[in-house]
Amino acid sequence: MLESLEVTLVIYRRAFARGAVLAVKNWPVFGSLFAYSAILAAGAYAAIFLGLVGGLLLSLLTSACLGSGLYLVEMIVRTNKVTWEDFTRSFGVYFWDVVGVSFALWVFWFVARPIIEQVPQGPVVVLAINLVLLVLFNAVPELIYLGHYSVMALLSRSYEFVTNNWIEWFPPNLLLLGGLWLLWQLPVDGWALALAKSAVISLALYFAMVVRGLIFIELDGSTRRARAFRHKMGR
């Protein structure tokens, strides 16, 4: 148990240290979140005049922005550097992967929600199921850009990864989430500080996603015994 804890802490230290270096090295990437905000704001405004079609187009636009963000994280994790060319081609790379996962979850809730809400404490049950889905499918973002699976395989692999590695996976994720929440709570006075706060949060979000990716790579496809053996061998 102590050996496994030691190995896990080494993985955390390595991932956080490298994540910090990569986030600082790629600091201009924070501008992409401002670009996504502007794109989605324009899309939301246009959707007002298009009714149901506008809502569908806005959801597709959101998927494109999410896929773009995942691609940029992949470039940071795989190549250590993001370029302007990476950003311009990022919107279509994982577009259909994000659309597929979103559609699968939408179909599930479209069928399940009316049934669940008829039972006693229906809203509580819905909340509980949302939390379970959030836990079991927590590794889907990393599997999209590191695994390249079909939609059903994505969900299945995320379930497999989480059930095998939940002890190692969730502590740093909760720590990163707490850090982002604290940054979000910082008081600001004036547009300049608000802009600076948004930039810091954007960079911190990329840092968190990069750390997640690095930890995922360390954990996926290995066992605690295998990681302990690699640690003994100095790897």
Side-chain angles (χ1 to χ4, degrees):
M1 181 66 70
L2 289 177
E3 182 182 49
S4 179
L5 176 61
E6 181 183 357
V7 173
T8 302
L9 291 176
V10 168
I11 291 174
Y12 293 166
R13 186 179 69 239
R14 190 158 52 215
F16 274 81
R18 189 178 174 207
V21 170
L22 292 176
V24 172
K25 180 180 179 180
N26 294 278
W27 66 267
V29 79
F30 77 81
S32 63
L33 270 73
F34 289 94
Y36 301 148
S37 298
I39 291 169
L40 293 176
Y45 179 78
I48 296 174
F49 304 99
L50 298 175
L52 291 177
V53 174
L56 175 61
L57 293 177
L58 182 59
S59 67
L60 294 177
L61 196 61
T62 302
S63 295
C65 290
L66 289 173
S68 171
L70 290 179
Y71 181 74
L72 297 185
V73 172
E74 178 185 13
M75 289 300 98
I76 296 175
V77 171
R78 290 191 186 276
T79 70
N80 299 337
K81 187 172 179 59
V82 172
T83 65
W84 172 252
E85 289 73 21
D86 291 327
F87 177 72
T88 57
R89 65 169 171 261
S90 65
F91 290 90
V93 179
Y94 296 122
F95 172 72
W96 290 112
D97 300 86
V98 177
V99 168
V101 172
S102 301
F103 182 72
L105 294 175
W106 177 82
V107 169
F108 170 78
W109 280 118
F110 181 79
V111 175
R113 186 182 291 271
I115 299 173
I116 295 173
E117 288 182 344
Q118 298 303 314
V119 305
Q121 302 299 320
V124 176
V125 175
V126 168
L127 176 61
I129 293 176
N130 272 320
L131 291 175
V132 170
L133 293 177
L134 179 63
V135 169
L136 295 182
F137 299 147
N138 195 265
V140 164
E142 285 68 34
L143 285 164
I144 286 178
Y145 70 82
L146 292 173
H148 305 286
Y149 297 97
S150 65
V151 173
M152 290 299 103
L154 269 175
L155 301 179
S156 175
R157 282 284 288 111
S158 179
Y159 171 82
E160 177 187 352
F161 173 82
V162 169
T163 53
N164 289 335
N165 301 284
W166 65 272
I167 295 177
E168 296 87 355
W169 180 246
F170 284 108
N173 275 278
L174 292 174
L175 179 63
L176 291 166
L177 183 62
L180 288 169
W181 182 83
L182 288 175
L183 286 175
W184 188 266
Q185 298 303 312
L186 288 176
V188 293
D189 184 17
W191 67 268
L193 287 178
L195 186 63
K197 175 183 173 180
S198 298
V200 170
I201 291 176
S202 299
L203 192 58
L205 179 58
Y206 271 106
F207 166 73
M209 291 302 296
V210 169
V211 170
R212 277 175 55 103
L214 295 173
I215 294 176
F216 179 89
I217 291 171
E218 294 264 15
L219 298 179
D220 189 43
S222 67
T223 63
R224 295 182 179 93
R225 181 174 296 179
R227 293 193 288 270
F229 177 77
R230 289 202 306 265
H231 178 66
K232 288 180 179 179
M233 298 299 292
R235 297 168 60 187

